Coordinates of all heavy atoms in Angstrom, one line a residue:
M1 N -17.8 211.9 33.4 CA -19.2 211.8 33.4 C -19.8 211.2 32.1 O -19.5 211.6 31.0 CB -19.9 213.3 33.5 CG -19.6 213.8 34.9 SD -20.8 213.2 36.1 CE -22.1 214.3 36.1
T2 N -20.6 210.3 32.3 CA -21.3 209.7 31.1 C -22.8 210.1 31.0 O -23.3 210.4 32.1 CB -21.3 208.1 31.1 OG1 -21.9 207.7 32.4 CG2 -19.9 207.6 31.0
R3 N -23.2 210.4 29.8 CA -24.5 210.8 29.7 C -25.3 209.6 29.1 O -25.0 209.0 28.2 CB -24.6 212.0 28.7 CG -25.8 212.8 28.8 CD -25.6 214.2 28.2 NE -25.2 214.1 26.8 CZ -26.2 214.3 25.9 NH1 -27.4 214.6 26.1 NH2 -25.8 214.3 24.6
R4 N -26.4 209.3 29.8 CA -27.2 208.2 29.4 C -28.3 208.6 28.4 O -28.9 209.7 28.7 CB -27.9 207.5 30.6 CG -26.9 207.0 31.6 CD -27.6 206.5 32.8 NE -28.4 205.3 32.7 CZ -29.2 204.8 33.6 NH1 -29.3 205.4 34.7 NH2 -29.9 203.7 33.3
V5 N -28.3 207.9 27.3 CA -29.4 208.2 26.3 C -30.5 207.3 26.4 O -30.3 206.0 26.4 CB -28.7 208.1 24.9 CG1 -29.7 208.5 23.8 CG2 -27.5 209.1 24.8
F6 N -31.7 207.8 26.6 CA -32.9 207.0 26.6 C -33.5 207.0 25.3 O -34.0 208.0 24.8 CB -33.8 207.5 27.7 CG -33.3 207.3 29.1 CD1 -32.7 208.3 29.7 CD2 -33.3 206.1 29.7 CE1 -32.1 208.2 31.0 CE2 -32.8 205.9 31.0 CZ -32.2 207.0 31.7
R7 N -33.6 205.8 24.7 CA -34.3 205.7 23.5 C -35.8 205.4 23.7 O -36.1 204.8 24.7 CB -33.7 204.5 22.6 CG -32.5 205.0 21.9 CD -31.9 203.8 21.1 NE -31.6 202.7 22.1 CZ -31.2 201.4 21.8 NH1 -31.2 201.1 20.5 NH2 -30.9 200.6 22.7
Y8 N -36.6 205.8 22.8 CA -38.1 205.6 23.0 C -38.4 204.1 22.9 O -38.0 203.4 22.0 CB -38.9 206.3 21.9 CG -40.3 206.1 22.0 CD1 -41.1 206.7 23.0 CD2 -41.0 205.2 21.1 CE1 -42.4 206.5 23.1 CE2 -42.3 204.9 21.2 CZ -43.0 205.6 22.2 OH -44.4 205.3 22.3
V9 N -39.0 203.6 23.9 CA -39.5 202.2 23.9 C -41.0 202.1 23.8 O -41.6 202.8 24.7 CB -39.0 201.5 25.2 CG1 -39.4 200.0 25.2 CG2 -37.5 201.6 25.3
P10 N -41.4 201.5 22.8 CA -43.0 201.4 22.6 C -43.6 200.5 23.6 O -44.1 199.4 23.2 CB -43.1 201.0 21.2 CG -41.9 200.2 20.9 CD -40.7 200.8 21.7
F11 N -43.6 200.8 24.9 CA -44.3 199.9 25.8 C -45.8 199.8 25.5 O -46.4 200.8 25.1 CB -44.1 200.5 27.3 CG -42.8 200.3 27.9 CD1 -41.9 201.4 27.9 CD2 -42.4 199.1 28.5 CE1 -40.6 201.3 28.5 CE2 -41.2 199.0 29.0 CZ -40.3 200.0 29.0
T12 N -46.4 198.7 25.9 CA -47.8 198.7 25.9 C -48.2 198.7 27.4 O -47.4 198.3 28.3 CB -48.4 197.4 25.2 OG1 -47.8 196.2 25.9 CG2 -48.2 197.3 23.8
I13 N -49.4 199.2 27.7 CA -49.8 199.4 29.1 C -51.0 198.5 29.3 O -52.0 198.6 28.5 CB -50.2 200.8 29.4 CG1 -49.0 201.7 29.1 CG2 -50.6 201.0 30.8 CD1 -49.2 203.2 29.3
E14 N -50.9 197.6 30.3 CA -52.0 196.7 30.5 C -52.4 196.8 31.9 O -51.7 197.0 32.8 CB -51.6 195.2 30.2 CG -51.2 195.0 28.7 CD -50.5 193.6 28.6 OE1 -50.5 192.8 29.6 OE2 -50.1 193.3 27.5
Q15 N -53.7 196.5 32.1 CA -54.3 196.4 33.5 C -53.6 195.2 34.2 O -53.6 194.1 33.6 CB -55.8 196.2 33.5 CG -56.3 196.3 35.0 CD -57.9 196.2 35.0 OE1 -58.4 195.3 34.4 NE2 -58.5 197.2 35.6
D16 N -53.2 195.4 35.5 CA -52.6 194.3 36.2 C -53.7 193.4 36.7 O -54.5 193.8 37.6 CB -51.8 194.9 37.4 CG -51.1 193.8 38.2 OD1 -51.3 192.6 37.9 OD2 -50.3 194.1 39.1
R17 N -53.8 192.2 36.2 CA -54.9 191.3 36.5 C -54.8 190.7 37.9 O -55.7 190.1 38.4 CB -55.1 190.2 35.5 CG -55.2 190.7 34.1 CD -56.7 191.0 33.8 NE -56.8 191.7 32.5 CZ -57.9 192.4 32.1 NH1 -58.9 192.5 33.0 NH2 -57.9 193.0 31.0
T18 N -53.6 190.8 38.5 CA -53.3 190.2 39.7 C -53.8 191.1 40.9 O -53.8 190.7 42.1 CB -51.8 189.8 39.9 OG1 -51.1 191.0 40.0 CG2 -51.3 189.0 38.8
A19 N -54.0 192.4 40.6 CA -54.5 193.3 41.6 C -56.0 193.7 41.3 O -56.3 194.1 40.2 CB -53.6 194.5 41.6
E20 N -56.8 193.7 42.4 CA -58.1 194.0 42.2 C -58.4 195.5 42.0 O -57.7 196.3 42.7 CB -58.9 193.6 43.4 CG -58.9 192.2 43.8 CD -59.9 191.3 43.1 OE1 -60.6 191.9 42.3 OE2 -60.1 190.2 43.5
P21 N -59.2 195.9 41.0 CA -59.5 197.4 40.8 C -60.4 197.8 42.0 O -61.0 197.0 42.8 CB -60.3 197.4 39.5 CG -60.8 196.0 39.4 CD -59.9 195.1 40.0
E22 N -60.5 199.1 42.3 CA -61.2 199.7 43.4 C -62.3 200.6 42.9 O -62.0 201.5 42.1 CB -60.3 200.3 44.4 CG -59.3 199.4 45.0 CD -58.3 200.0 45.9 OE1 -58.1 201.3 45.8 OE2 -57.5 199.3 46.5
Y23 N -63.5 200.5 43.4 CA -64.6 201.4 43.1 C -65.1 202.0 44.4 O -65.2 201.3 45.4 CB -65.7 200.7 42.4 CG -65.4 200.0 41.2 CD1 -64.8 198.7 41.1 CD2 -65.7 200.6 40.0 CE1 -64.5 198.1 39.9 CE2 -65.4 200.0 38.7 CZ -64.8 198.8 38.8 OH -64.5 198.1 37.6
E24 N -65.4 203.4 44.4 CA -66.0 204.0 45.5 C -66.7 205.3 45.0 O -66.4 205.8 44.0 CB -64.9 204.3 46.6 CG -63.9 205.2 46.2 CD -62.8 205.4 47.2 OE1 -62.8 204.8 48.3 OE2 -61.8 206.2 46.9
A25 N -67.6 205.8 46.0 CA -68.3 207.0 45.7 C -68.5 207.8 46.9 O -68.5 207.3 48.0 CB -69.7 206.7 45.0
R26 N -68.6 209.1 46.7 CA -68.8 210.1 47.9 C -69.9 211.0 47.5 O -69.9 211.5 46.3 CB -67.5 210.8 48.1 CG -67.6 211.9 49.2 CD -66.2 212.4 49.6 NE -65.4 212.7 48.4 CZ -65.3 213.9 47.8 NH1 -66.0 214.9 48.3 NH2 -64.5 214.2 46.8
C27 N -70.8 211.3 48.4 CA -71.9 212.1 48.1 C -71.5 213.6 48.2 O -70.9 214.0 49.2 CB -73.0 211.9 49.1 SG -74.4 213.0 48.9
V28 N -71.6 214.3 47.1 CA -71.2 215.7 47.0 C -72.4 216.6 46.9 O -72.3 217.8 46.5 CB -70.2 216.0 45.9 CG1 -68.9 215.2 46.1 CG2 -70.8 215.6 44.5
S29 N -73.5 216.2 47.3 CA -74.8 217.0 47.3 C -74.7 218.0 48.4 O -74.0 217.8 49.4 CB -76.0 216.1 47.4 OG -76.0 215.1 46.4
G30 N -75.4 219.1 48.3 CA -75.5 220.1 49.3 C -75.1 221.4 48.8 O -74.2 221.5 47.9
D31 N -75.7 222.5 49.3 CA -75.5 223.8 48.7 C -74.2 224.5 49.2 O -73.2 224.7 48.5 CB -76.6 224.8 49.1 CG -77.9 224.3 48.4 OD1 -77.8 223.7 47.3 OD2 -79.0 224.4 49.0
E32 N -74.1 224.6 50.6 CA -72.9 225.3 51.1 C -71.8 224.3 51.4 O -70.7 224.4 51.0 CB -73.2 225.9 52.5 CG -74.3 227.0 52.4 CD -73.8 228.3 51.9 OE1 -72.8 228.8 52.6 OE2 -74.2 228.8 50.8
T33 N -72.1 223.1 52.1 CA -71.1 222.1 52.3 C -71.6 220.8 51.8 O -72.8 220.5 51.8 CB -70.9 222.0 53.9 OG1 -72.1 221.8 54.5 CG2 -70.2 223.2 54.5
E34 N -70.6 220.0 51.4 CA -71.0 218.7 50.8 C -71.4 217.7 51.9 O -71.0 217.8 53.1 CB -69.7 218.0 50.2 CG -69.3 218.7 48.9 CD -68.0 218.0 48.4 OE1 -67.5 217.0 49.0 OE2 -67.6 218.5 47.3
C35 N -72.3 216.9 51.6 CA -72.8 215.8 52.5 C -71.6 215.0 52.9 O -71.4 214.7 54.1 CB -73.9 215.0 51.8 SG -74.2 213.5 52.6
G36 N -70.8 214.5 52.0 CA -69.6 213.8 52.3 C -69.8 212.3 52.7 O -68.8 211.7 53.0
A37 N -70.9 211.8 52.7 CA -71.1 210.4 53.0 C -70.4 209.5 52.0 O -70.3 209.8 50.8 CB -72.6 210.0 52.9
Q38 N -69.8 208.4 52.4 CA -69.0 207.6 51.5 C -69.5 206.2 51.5 O -69.9 205.6 52.4 CB -67.5 207.6 52.1 CG -66.9 209.0 51.9 CD -65.4 209.0 52.4 OE1 -65.0 208.3 53.3 NE2 -64.6 209.7 51.6
S39 N -69.3 205.6 50.3 CA -69.8 204.2 50.0 C -68.9 203.2 50.6 O -69.3 202.1 50.9 CB -69.9 204.0 48.5 OG -68.6 203.9 48.0
G40 N -67.7 203.5 50.8 CA -66.6 202.5 51.1 C -66.1 202.0 49.8 O -66.6 202.3 48.7
T41 N -65.0 201.2 49.9 CA -64.3 200.7 48.7 C -64.8 199.3 48.4 O -64.8 198.4 49.2 CB -62.8 200.7 48.9 OG1 -62.5 202.1 49.2 CG2 -62.1 200.4 47.6
Y42 N -65.1 199.0 47.0 CA -65.4 197.7 46.6 C -64.7 197.2 45.4 O -64.1 198.1 44.7 CB -67.0 197.7 46.3 CG -67.8 197.9 47.6 CD1 -68.2 199.3 47.9 CD2 -68.2 196.9 48.4 CE1 -69.0 199.5 49.0 CE2 -69.0 197.1 49.5 CZ -69.4 198.5 49.8 OH -70.1 198.7 50.9
R43 N -64.7 196.0 45.2 CA -64.1 195.4 44.0 C -64.8 195.4 42.8 O -64.3 195.2 41.7 CB -63.7 193.9 44.3 CG -62.9 193.6 45.5 CD -61.5 194.3 45.5 NE -60.7 193.8 46.6 CZ -59.7 194.6 47.0 NH1 -59.5 195.8 46.6 NH2 -58.9 194.1 48.0
H44 N -66.1 195.8 42.9 CA -67.0 195.8 41.7 C -67.9 197.1 41.9 O -68.1 197.6 43.0 CB -67.9 194.6 41.6 CG -67.2 193.3 41.6 ND1 -66.6 192.9 40.5 CD2 -66.8 192.4 42.6 CE1 -65.9 191.7 40.7 NE2 -66.1 191.4 42.0
P45 N -68.4 197.6 40.7 CA -69.2 198.9 40.8 C -70.6 198.6 41.4 O -71.2 199.5 41.8 CB -69.3 199.3 39.3 CG -69.0 198.1 38.5 CD -68.1 197.2 39.3
G46 N -71.1 197.4 41.3 CA -72.4 197.1 41.8 C -72.8 197.6 43.2 O -73.7 198.3 43.4
P47 N -72.0 197.2 44.2 CA -72.3 197.6 45.6 C -72.2 199.2 45.7 O -73.0 199.7 46.6 CB -71.2 196.9 46.4 CG -70.7 195.8 45.6 CD -70.9 196.2 44.2
V48 N -71.4 199.8 45.0 CA -71.3 201.3 45.0 C -72.6 201.9 44.5 O -73.1 202.8 45.2 CB -70.1 201.8 44.3 CG1 -70.1 203.3 44.2 CG2 -68.8 201.2 44.8
E49 N -73.0 201.4 43.4 CA -74.3 201.9 42.8 C -75.4 201.6 43.7 O -76.4 202.5 43.9 CB -74.5 201.3 41.4 CG -73.5 201.8 40.4 CD -73.7 201.1 39.1 OE1 -74.6 200.3 38.9 OE2 -72.9 201.4 38.2
E50 N -75.5 200.5 44.4 CA -76.6 200.2 45.3 C -76.6 201.2 46.5 O -77.6 201.6 46.9 CB -76.4 198.7 45.8 CG -77.6 198.1 46.3 CD -77.4 196.6 46.6 OE1 -77.0 195.9 45.7 OE2 -77.7 196.3 47.8
W51 N -75.3 201.4 47.0 CA -75.2 202.4 48.1 C -75.8 203.7 47.7 O -76.4 204.4 48.4 CB -73.8 202.5 48.6 CG -73.6 203.6 49.5 CD1 -73.7 203.5 50.9 CD2 -73.2 204.9 49.3 NE1 -73.5 204.7 51.5 CE2 -73.1 205.6 50.5 CE3 -72.9 205.7 48.1 CZ2 -72.8 207.0 50.6 CZ3 -72.5 207.0 48.2 CH2 -72.4 207.6 49.4
Q52 N -75.4 204.2 46.4 CA -75.9 205.5 45.9 C -77.5 205.5 45.9 O -78.0 206.5 46.3 CB -75.4 205.7 44.5 CG -74.0 206.1 44.5 CD -73.4 206.4 43.0 OE1 -72.6 205.7 42.5 NE2 -74.1 207.3 42.3
R53 N -78.1 204.4 45.4 CA -79.5 204.3 45.3 C -80.1 204.4 46.6 O -81.1 205.2 46.9 CB -79.9 203.0 44.6 CG -79.6 203.0 43.1 CD -80.4 202.0 42.4 NE -80.1 202.0 41.0 CZ -79.1 201.3 40.4 NH1 -78.4 200.5 41.2 NH2 -78.8 201.4 39.2
R54 N -79.5 203.7 47.6 CA -80.0 203.7 49.0 C -79.9 205.1 49.6 O -80.9 205.6 50.2 CB -79.3 202.7 49.9 CG -80.3 201.9 50.7 CD -79.5 200.8 51.5 NE -78.1 201.0 51.8 CZ -77.1 200.2 51.3 NH1 -77.4 199.2 50.5 NH2 -75.9 200.5 51.6
H55 N -78.7 205.7 49.5 CA -78.5 207.1 50.0 C -79.4 208.1 49.4 O -79.9 209.0 50.1 CB -77.0 207.4 49.8 CG -76.6 208.7 50.5 ND1 -76.5 208.8 51.9 CD2 -76.4 209.9 50.0 CE1 -76.1 210.0 52.2 NE2 -76.0 210.7 51.1
A56 N -79.6 208.0 48.1 CA -80.5 208.9 47.4 C -81.9 208.8 47.9 O -82.6 209.8 48.0 CB -80.4 208.7 45.9
Q57 N -82.3 207.5 48.1 CA -83.7 207.3 48.6 C -83.9 207.9 50.0 O -84.9 208.5 50.3 CB -84.0 205.8 48.6 CG -85.4 205.4 48.3 CD -85.5 204.0 47.8 OE1 -84.6 203.2 48.1 NE2 -86.5 203.7 47.1
E58 N -82.9 207.8 50.8 CA -83.0 208.2 52.2 C -82.9 209.8 52.3 O -83.4 210.4 53.2 CB -81.9 207.6 53.1 CG -82.1 206.1 53.3 CD -80.8 205.4 53.8 OE1 -79.8 206.1 54.0 OE2 -80.9 204.2 54.1
T59 N -82.1 210.4 51.4 CA -81.7 211.8 51.6 C -82.1 212.7 50.5 O -82.0 213.9 50.6 CB -80.2 211.9 51.8 OG1 -79.5 211.4 50.6 CG2 -79.6 211.1 53.0
R60 N -82.5 212.1 49.3 CA -82.8 212.9 48.1 C -81.5 213.5 47.6 O -81.6 214.5 46.8 CB -83.9 213.9 48.3 CG -85.2 213.4 48.8 CD -86.0 212.7 47.6 NE -87.1 212.0 48.2 CZ -87.4 210.7 47.8 NH1 -86.5 210.1 47.0 NH2 -88.4 210.1 48.3
H61 N -80.4 213.0 48.0 CA -79.1 213.5 47.5 C -78.8 212.9 46.1 O -78.9 211.6 46.0 CB -77.9 213.2 48.5 CG -78.0 214.1 49.7 ND1 -77.2 213.8 50.8 CD2 -78.8 215.1 50.0 CE1 -77.5 214.7 51.7 NE2 -78.4 215.5 51.3
L62 N -78.5 213.7 45.1 CA -78.5 213.2 43.7 C -77.1 213.3 43.0 O -76.9 212.9 41.9 CB -79.5 213.9 42.9 CG -81.0 213.7 43.4 CD1 -81.9 214.5 42.5 CD2 -81.4 212.3 43.4
R63 N -76.1 213.9 43.7 CA -74.9 214.1 43.1 C -73.7 213.4 43.8 O -73.6 213.6 45.0 CB -74.6 215.6 42.9 CG -73.6 216.0 41.9 CD -73.7 217.5 41.5 NE -72.6 217.7 40.6 CZ -71.4 218.2 40.9 NH1 -71.3 218.5 42.3 NH2 -70.5 218.4 40.1
Y64 N -72.9 212.7 43.0 CA -71.8 211.9 43.7 C -70.5 212.0 42.9 O -70.6 212.2 41.7 CB -72.3 210.4 43.7 CG -73.5 210.2 44.5 CD1 -74.7 210.4 44.0 CD2 -73.4 209.8 45.8 CE1 -75.9 210.2 44.7 CE2 -74.5 209.6 46.6 CZ -75.7 209.8 46.1 OH -76.9 209.7 46.8
R65 N -69.5 211.9 43.6 CA -68.1 211.9 43.1 C -67.7 210.4 43.1 O -67.7 209.8 44.1 CB -67.1 212.8 43.8 CG -65.7 212.4 43.7 CD -65.0 213.1 42.6 NE -63.7 212.5 42.4 CZ -62.9 212.9 41.4 NH1 -63.2 213.8 40.6 NH2 -61.7 212.2 41.2
R66 N -67.4 209.9 41.9 CA -67.0 208.5 41.8 C -65.5 208.4 41.6 O -64.9 209.0 40.8 CB -67.8 207.7 40.8 CG -69.3 207.7 40.9 CD -70.0 206.7 40.2 NE -69.9 207.0 38.7 CZ -70.5 206.2 37.8 NH1 -71.2 205.2 38.1 NH2 -70.4 206.6 36.5
N67 N -64.9 207.4 42.3 CA -63.4 207.1 42.1 C -63.3 205.7 41.6 O -63.9 204.8 42.2 CB -62.7 207.4 43.4 CG -62.4 208.8 43.6 OD1 -62.3 209.6 42.7 ND2 -62.4 209.2 44.8
F68 N -62.4 205.5 40.6 CA -62.0 204.2 40.2 C -60.5 204.1 40.2 O -59.8 205.0 39.7 CB -62.6 203.9 38.8 CG -62.0 202.7 38.1 CD1 -62.4 201.4 38.5 CD2 -61.0 202.8 37.1 CE1 -61.8 200.3 38.0 CE2 -60.5 201.7 36.5 CZ -60.9 200.5 37.0
G69 N -59.9 203.0 40.7 CA -58.5 202.9 40.7 C -58.2 201.5 40.3 O -58.8 200.5 40.7
D70 N -57.0 201.4 39.5 CA -56.5 200.0 39.2 C -55.0 200.2 39.0 O -54.5 201.2 39.2 CB -57.2 199.5 37.9 CG -56.8 200.3 36.7 OD1 -56.2 201.3 36.7 OD2 -57.2 199.8 35.5
Y71 N -54.4 199.0 38.7 CA -53.0 199.0 38.6 C -52.6 198.7 37.2 O -53.3 197.9 36.5 CB -52.4 197.9 39.6 CG -52.6 198.3 41.0 CD1 -53.8 198.0 41.7 CD2 -51.6 198.9 41.7 CE1 -54.0 198.3 43.0 CE2 -51.8 199.2 43.1 CZ -53.0 199.0 43.7 OH -53.2 199.3 45.0
A72 N -51.5 199.3 36.7 CA -51.1 199.2 35.3 C -49.7 198.6 35.3 O -48.9 199.0 36.1 CB -51.2 200.5 34.5
V73 N -49.5 197.8 34.3 CA -48.2 197.2 34.1 C -47.7 197.6 32.7 O -48.4 197.5 31.7 CB -48.2 195.6 34.1 CG1 -46.8 195.1 34.0 CG2 -48.8 195.2 35.4
M74 N -46.4 198.1 32.6 CA -45.8 198.4 31.4 C -45.2 197.1 30.8 O -44.4 196.5 31.4 CB -44.7 199.5 31.6 CG -45.1 200.7 32.3 SD -46.3 201.7 31.6 CE -45.3 202.4 30.3
R75 N -45.5 196.9 29.5 CA -44.9 195.7 28.9 C -44.1 196.1 27.7 O -44.5 196.7 26.8 CB -46.1 194.8 28.4 CG -45.8 193.3 29.0 CD -47.0 192.4 28.7 NE -48.0 192.3 29.8 CZ -47.7 191.8 30.9 NH1 -46.5 191.4 31.2 NH2 -48.6 191.7 31.8
P76 N -42.7 195.7 27.7 CA -41.9 196.1 26.6 C -42.2 195.2 25.4 O -42.8 194.2 25.6 CB -40.5 195.8 27.2 CG -40.7 194.8 28.2 CD -42.1 195.0 28.8
P77 N -41.8 195.7 24.3 CA -42.0 194.8 23.0 C -41.2 193.5 23.2 O -40.2 193.5 23.9 CB -41.5 195.7 21.9 CG -40.6 196.8 22.6 CD -41.2 197.0 23.9
A78 N -41.5 192.5 22.4 CA -41.0 191.2 22.5 C -39.5 191.2 22.5 O -38.8 190.5 23.3 CB -41.6 190.3 21.5
E79 N -38.9 191.8 21.5 CA -37.4 191.8 21.3 C -36.7 192.4 22.5 O -35.6 191.9 22.9 CB -37.0 192.4 19.9 CG -37.2 193.9 19.8 CD -38.6 194.3 19.3 OE1 -39.5 193.4 19.4 OE2 -38.7 195.4 18.8
L80 N -37.2 193.4 23.1 CA -36.7 194.1 24.2 C -36.8 193.2 25.4 O -35.9 193.1 26.3 CB -37.2 195.4 24.5 CG -36.5 196.2 25.6 CD1 -35.1 196.5 25.3 CD2 -37.3 197.5 25.9
A81 N -38.0 192.5 25.6 CA -38.3 191.6 26.7 C -37.2 190.6 26.8 O -36.8 190.2 27.9 CB -39.7 191.1 26.6
A82 N -36.8 190.1 25.7 CA -35.8 189.0 25.5 C -34.5 189.5 26.1 O -33.8 188.8 26.8 CB -35.6 188.6 24.1
L83 N -34.1 190.8 25.8 CA -32.9 191.4 26.3 C -33.0 191.6 27.8 O -32.0 191.3 28.5 CB -32.6 192.7 25.5 CG -32.2 192.6 24.1 CD1 -32.2 194.0 23.4 CD2 -30.8 192.0 24.0
L84 N -34.1 192.1 28.2 CA -34.2 192.4 29.7 C -34.2 191.1 30.5 O -33.8 191.1 31.6 CB -35.5 193.1 29.9 CG -35.6 194.6 29.4 CD1 -37.0 195.2 29.6 CD2 -34.5 195.5 30.1
S85 N -34.7 190.0 29.9 CA -34.7 188.8 30.7 C -33.3 188.2 30.8 O -33.1 187.1 31.5 CB -35.7 187.8 30.0 OG -35.2 187.3 28.8
G86 N -32.4 188.8 30.1 CA -30.9 188.3 30.3 C -30.6 187.1 29.6 O -29.7 186.4 30.0
S87 N -31.4 186.7 28.5 CA -31.0 185.5 27.8 C -29.9 185.8 26.9 O -30.0 185.6 25.6 CB -32.3 185.0 27.1 OG -32.8 186.0 26.2
G88 N -28.8 186.1 27.3 CA -27.6 186.3 26.5 C -27.5 187.7 25.9 O -28.5 188.3 25.7
G89 N -26.2 188.2 25.8 CA -26.1 189.4 25.1 C -26.2 190.6 26.0 O -26.8 190.6 27.1
T90 N -25.5 191.8 25.7 CA -25.6 192.9 26.5 C -26.4 194.0 25.8 O -26.4 194.0 24.5 CB -24.2 193.5 26.8 OG1 -23.4 193.5 25.5 CG2 -23.4 192.7 27.8
V91 N -27.0 194.8 26.5 CA -27.9 195.8 25.9 C -27.1 197.0 25.4 O -26.2 197.5 26.1 CB -28.9 196.4 26.9 CG1 -29.8 197.4 26.3 CG2 -29.8 195.3 27.5
Ligands
ZN101 ZN1 -75.5 212.7 50.8

């Protein structure tokens, strides 16, 4: 049995620009039960805020749960990236 030793690698974390982020909101107004109305998912916060304003105007509901999602990519430091790309040498 071999034991693998993982050394600390100082990855940087970047937003994946090739994948669109997602914005959405859900109405959580209401005393006993939440209203639960949903904005739907959008690529930008603008349409979600507009939906909130419209919903608030129609219902006087003032409290919302907002979700934001995006994708992240781990980037190794330059010297390790060279090793991982297999440009000669063993790790
Ligand atoms: Zn509502």
Side-chain angles (χ1 to χ4, degrees):
M1 287 284 265
T2 54
R3 203 157 61 97
R4 297 172 72 188
V5 179
F6 293 95
R7 278 174 300 169
Y8 178 77
V9 179
F11 285 102
T12 56
I13 303 176
E14 296 171 9
Q15 186 179 55
D16 183 353
R17 303 277 170 199
T18 64
E20 301 272 9
E22 295 171 351
Y23 298 83
E24 61 185 0
R26 171 169 51 91
C27 179
V28 295
S29 302
D31 296 327
E32 300 281 301
T33 53
E34 290 180 0
C35 164
Q38 293 183 320
S39 68
T41 303
Y42 296 92
R43 306 297 190 207
H44 304 281
V48 176
E49 291 177 1
E50 202 175 303
W51 174 84
Q52 283 180 242
R53 289 200 181 87
R54 226 176 24 244
H55 187 72
Q57 212 157 27
E58 290 166 359
T59 62
R60 301 281 169 234
H61 290 169
L62 302 177
R63 199 158 175 272
Y64 297 82
R65 156 91 193 175
R66 298 197 295 183
N67 283 325
F68 167 73
D70 68 352
Y71 295 82
V73 183
M74 311 292 287
R75 233 175 264 296
E79 66 271 21
L80 184 63
L83 288 172
L84 290 175
S85 70
S87 58
T90 47
V91 179

